Amino acid sequence: MAGINIIGVSTKCNLLGVVEPASIIRSSPICGRNIMAMEVTQVLLNAQSIDGAVRKNAEESLKQFQEQNLTVFLVSLSGELANEEKPVETRKLAGLILKNALDAKEQHRKFELVQRWLSLDSNAKSQIKACLLKTLTSVVSDARSTASQVIAKVAGIELPHKQWPELIGSLLSNVHQLPAHAKQATLETLGYLCEEVSPDVIDQDQVNKILTAVVQGMSTSEGSIDVRLAATRALFNALGFAQANFSNDMERDYIMRVVCEATLCPDVRIRQAAFECLVSISSTYYDKLAPYIQDIFNITAKAVKEDDEPVALQAIEFWSSICDEEIDILEEYGGDFTGDSDIPCFYFVKQALPALVPMLLETLLKQEEDQDQDEGAWNIAMAGGTCLGLVARTVGDDIVPLVVPFIEGNISKPDWRQREGATYAFGSILEGPSPEKLIPLVNVALTFMLSALTKDPSSHVKDTTAWTLGRIFEFLHGSAVDSPIISQANCQQIVTVLLQSMKDTPNVAEKACGALYFLVQGYEEMGPSSPLTPFFQEIVQSLLTVTHREDAGESRLRTAAYETLNEVVRCSTDETAPLVLQLVPVIMMELHNTLEGQKLSSEEREKQSELQGLLCGCLQVIIQKLGSSEPTKYVFMQYADQIMGLFLRVFDCRSATVHEEAMLAIGALAYATGADFAKYMPEFYRYLEMGLQNFEEYQVCAVTVGVVGDISRALEEKIVPYCDGIMTQLLKNLSSNQLHRSVKPPIFSCFGDIALAVGEYFEKYLMWAMSALQTAAELSTHIAGDDELVEYTNSLRNGILEAYSGIFQGFKNSPKTQLLIPYAPHILQFLDGIYMEKDMDDVVMKTAIGVLGDLADTLGSHAGSMIQQSVSSKDFLNECLSSEDLMIKESAEWAKLAISRAISV
């Protein structure tokens, strides 16, 4: 059992999950031998001691105990948790360690812990489970609550394996017993259990009994408030199991009645939990809500107007959730429900509009004094504005006449709350209604708002005004909008006001940067000359000045300034290319200054690392911009060596975020420099390898995999000397169960990039790569699951197909083409499989039809007969040829040509 730790994070973790230096966790046979006889209680108390040495000893003891005799260790902990005579602190910690012995965040670790529990001695498991169930009747609430969570974790492991079949029965028998605290703990356990297991694990008869117990526990006839609260929270988790019950009118009516009654309970926690249930019902059972929607509107309106904030927030969230549902339906079906849709839209929001909009507008006047300074702030005014924005997206033009009178009535009032509320209302409805409806309003409001942004005495009003200007530029400015809101006449005023506002308080300045970002972006596709060209130098200088502000660390200001600077560079035209070139040494100098060796505290180091990330990101955009046209690329190359030198020095600072940004910038540099990048490889390769080995920070690993692709495309055959190391590491990554699954599809794509770069030299890796691709291809068919899994499956298939495509194209016209023939039947079988499953997205479809063409193009007559015999190639090709997606159609036409050539040979 060595190497498995209590918390289930990594072996170098102490009991409480805090990473310790490796030296602390050394074997200590003495404590290991003695703890069996020692008092577990005392060790658990010591593990919470304020004395570091005592704590460390106790943690080592527990670790040794666990490693030497896991079964006795877990039984002892469950005994401690169940023992009423023990101190609360030790019972809680015993339960926490038990819970962490059953579950972990990382998938691979979780799998290990599940297997470990399943292989434990069954008598010991029975003893532990008996202790856990006994603890549910404890008079100590912390012990009960901890036991509830542990029982659910055990159930999450055992029920899917058809073990512990009596659990739900014994919990349900508890529910009907007194005392109230045992009932409360049992309902809490049922709630946690529904969170842990998937609905298909529990049969409908038991689901019915759970729901009956929970809904009865919620009813007004239940005397204990704690029981009602536990029941209401349990229902929230059990709703996913209630599909059949919600399809039955009587049962659904009963559940809805009890939930609506609970929203009126005197206890605020129960009211909040009941509204949380309504929010969940609104998304899970949207199609069943019609009979109740009027009552729910009345309940939510009363709560928004009169109830405590936590309850009012959930009442608003109900309508936000209904909007989300209707937006999704309308987007998916384009408002056309002629038999096409399983879930017709009930237009609840449209029907409620005359009452819903005034209710939301009223919330906008309930702002808090400091909400702009607090990044995590969330209050009733913000929730109301967010919901108003969703309503605008749901109903479009219909919202405008309902909101305009509120704006006009409040925008000039002496009370800042009214001016800010009016501005917030305007900003909230800018996405959804048509430009035709909004542009006349914007034309009237723009001058007023520019004046408010510089002159309003309230920082709150300025903050919201800058945000609203940003929304105007985001949704109503750009090549897609027919009538422009910005003219030569007001362009200068807009720029002047925004640059002026960047000197305001950090929260206002940050919103002004955001507005400038969208202003710049709107001109991106407006031809070779931009109205912003005359202001380019001034804009860049102002943004750089913002990044140096003493208070740029507040309100994300520095980040916003760099993001806007990046957008200014990205959208710049040829006219301003010389000015972008002048920016290169400036940003290089900034990055150089962060690398000068001074002793930094950990907080300063974090800030330095964030700044390096921003500067590397900025250089990446500059490199992409200047590298995209020959004249600027030629001038830029004089800086390439120095820039690469800076990036390599950034790696030496070793911080994950910087590593990622610098890696991305190097990918851009490789693309710009092409084959010349080879001179940097001897020094850069070790960092590339480190990035590929970084499983912990898997985003860094994913970015590095992408950069390997960039470098392969840039270097072509010059990457050969590094291929052994790269391919070995990539294959290792694929076989690791510790690497996050999202990194695996890009690894397959990377095989394709490497094969395309090195051509027939890829022969030495062919057997290993094809074997990995074949295994993954088999796994990626027949995967049923939720939307997230379908999305992942599609990205996995796309990665596999990109690999096949790169390999076939790499070997084309080579005398070694015949090496690929044995793999062709499996590839065709894979294409048949994904075609038959009918769940591939457009990206996969395009890549898949491309692979069919590559197969025919590279193997010629060898592939012709196989393609003719394949189950679905002809149907698939015809479907792609008639696709509305032009890129799929183009790929299919090319594939058709390649196949007909292969067949006719």
Side-chain angles (χ1 to χ4, degrees), residues 615-763:
L615 291 164
C616 288
C618 187
L619 282 169
Q620 180 194 347
V621 176
I622 294 172
I623 293 164
Q624 284 166 333
K625 188 71 191 178
L626 297 174
S628 63
S629 81
E630 284 307 317
T632 52
K633 183 160 135 181
Y634 179 75
V635 186
F636 165 73
M637 281 309 154
Q638 63 179 313
Y639 296 114
D641 291 357
Q642 286 169 279
I643 288 181
M644 189 65 189
L646 285 170
F647 291 153
L648 293 172
R649 285 183 64 196
V650 168
F651 283 129
D652 287 332
C653 296
R654 273 314 290 138
S655 150
T657 49
V658 164
H659 196 152
E660 199 174 328
E661 300 291 345
M663 198 51 97
L664 282 165
I666 284 173
L669 190 65
Y671 184 79
T673 52
D676 288 347
F677 191 82
K679 64 180 174 183
Y680 306 127
M681 282 302 287
E683 210 177 336
F684 172 55
Y685 178 72
R686 69 190 180 101
Y687 298 110
L688 195 69
E689 206 164 42
M690 277 160 64
L692 293 176
Q693 289 164 354
N694 194 343
F695 289 4
E696 288 291 310
E697 294 143 352
Y698 66 88
Q699 293 92 338
V700 173
C701 187
V703 163
T704 311
V705 169
V707 170
V708 170
D710 293 336
I711 291 170
S712 304
R713 285 187 289 276
L715 294 185
E716 296 184 328
E717 68 284 352
K718 286 186 178 175
I719 199 170
V720 165
Y722 304 97
C723 276
D724 283 4
I726 290 170
M727 283 300 295
T728 304
Q729 191 56 52
L730 291 177
L731 288 162
K732 209 181 271 183
N733 287 14
L734 283 176
S735 63
S736 161
N737 62 357
Q738 291 180 19
L739 181 60
H740 195 274
R741 70 179 189 184
S742 64
V743 187
K744 300 197 174 179
I747 290 176
F748 289 122
S749 303
C750 196
F751 284 176
D753 293 325
I754 292 169
L756 203 50
V758 302
E760 63 181 48
Y761 181 82
F762 196 77
E763 178 194 350

Side-chain angles (χ1 to χ4, degrees), residues 485-500:
I485 49 169
I486 301 171
S487 59
Q488 273 315 125
N490 64 9
C491 186
Q492 176 156 13
Q493 187 198 2
I494 291 170
V495 172
T496 306
V497 167
L498 292 178
L499 298 189
Q500 179 63 34

Side-chain angles (χ1 to χ4, degrees), residues 528-605:
S529 181
S530 162
L532 294 177
T533 299
F535 314 111
F536 187 88
Q537 185 105 36
E538 194 186 348
I539 289 171
V540 168
Q541 196 46 60
S542 298
L543 287 164
L544 289 172
T545 305
V546 171
T547 66
H548 291 137
R549 278 176 55 157
E550 287 288 309
D551 55 4
E554 295 170 35
S555 297
R556 277 191 77 253
L557 178 55
R558 183 178 286 112
T559 304
Y562 276 114
E563 283 172 355
T564 305
L565 180 60
N566 294 350
E567 200 60 9
V568 170
V569 169
R570 204 180 62 75
C571 300
S572 61
T573 61
D574 291 345
E575 295 174 292
T576 48
L579 298 173
V580 176
L581 270 165
Q582 287 174 23
L583 194 54
V584 178
V586 175
I587 302 294
M588 281 170 61
M589 195 62 205
E590 299 264 331
L591 185 55
H592 173 80
N593 291 341
T594 68
L595 295 163
E596 289 311 287
Q598 64 273 51
K599 285 264 187 282
L600 298 176
S601 68
S602 61
E603 191 184 333
E604 286 169 331
R605 184 169 290 113

